[in-house]
Amino acid sequence: MAVIGSLITIAITASLVNNVVLSQFLGICPFLGVSRKIDSAFGMGMAVIFVITLASAVCGVIYTFVLLPFDLVYLNTIVFILVIAMLVQFVEMFMKKFMPPLYESLGIYLPLITTNCAVLGVALLNVSSEYNVLEGIVNGLATAIGFTVAIVLLAGIREKTEYNDVPESFKGMPMVLLSSALMAIAFVGFSGLRG
């Protein structure tokens, strides 16, 4: 039971309390760039969920069974970047083949998942927090779910405020940044959930 409780704590902390976008400020580029429409934001979120979860699993296995035993820990960042780049290429090829409209709507932001600091940040956080492979996978999945919740919420706000009567100086990106800031303040309320 203690293991399940620990995994639930990791999941809640990663998705809500330490939201990767709204409290750690990682992954801002796709967060701001793909949040124009809920559909494309959700698609990006699903791609990020797949990549971060799989990257957490693969990086955790490589770190635990290759880098640690052979004392090659200093290579973890380079190895993690290569793993993430490979996974993003796989996702890009899959979406281009099976989901062309979503692939087109994501545009340049899909390949940018490779350089999304949130993906690498989660892999490095798993190592620095000394999570085992299962805890790392749970942390990665929960972090990606938190990213998806944040980007879909922002997309919903942007769709609602797009045609509202706002001062000229607030139209466009200033309104997006203000909305993001208010969301970040709202997510501070989840800090009381910390065990």
Side-chain angles (χ1 to χ4, degrees), residues 53-54 80 84-85 147 175 188 190:
T53 305
L54 204 55
F80 293 171
I84 290 164
F147 175 87
M175 182 60 83
V188 168
F190 289 119

Side-chain angles (χ1 to χ4, degrees), residues 96-194:
K96 188 174 186 179
K97 176 88 173 161
F98 297 106
M99 299 178 220
L102 181 58
Y103 175 80
E104 293 297 324
S105 72
L106 293 178
I108 189 67
Y109 295 101
L110 185 57
L112 282 178
I113 294 176
T114 305
T115 59
N116 186 344
C117 53
V119 182
L120 180 61
V122 169
L124 293 174
L125 180 69
N126 289 342
V127 169
S128 68
S129 299
E130 297 180 359
Y131 289 150
N132 61 34
V133 176
L134 178 60
E135 290 171 337
I137 292 170
V138 169
N139 182 54
L141 176 63
T143 299
I145 289 171
F147 175 87
T148 303
V149 166
I151 196 170
V152 169
L153 283 174
L154 182 62
I157 292 169
R158 285 181 78 172
E159 282 187 2
K160 293 290 184 190
T161 60
E162 186 175 347
Y163 301 108
N164 288 356
D165 186 26
V166 294
E168 192 65 35
S169 60
F170 278 100
K171 288 187 179 178
M173 195 50 69
M175 182 60 83
V176 174
L177 294 174
L178 181 62
S179 300
S180 301
L182 292 173
M183 286 174 57
I185 291 169
F187 268 68
V188 168
F190 289 119
S191 62
L193 295 175
R194 194 173 286 160

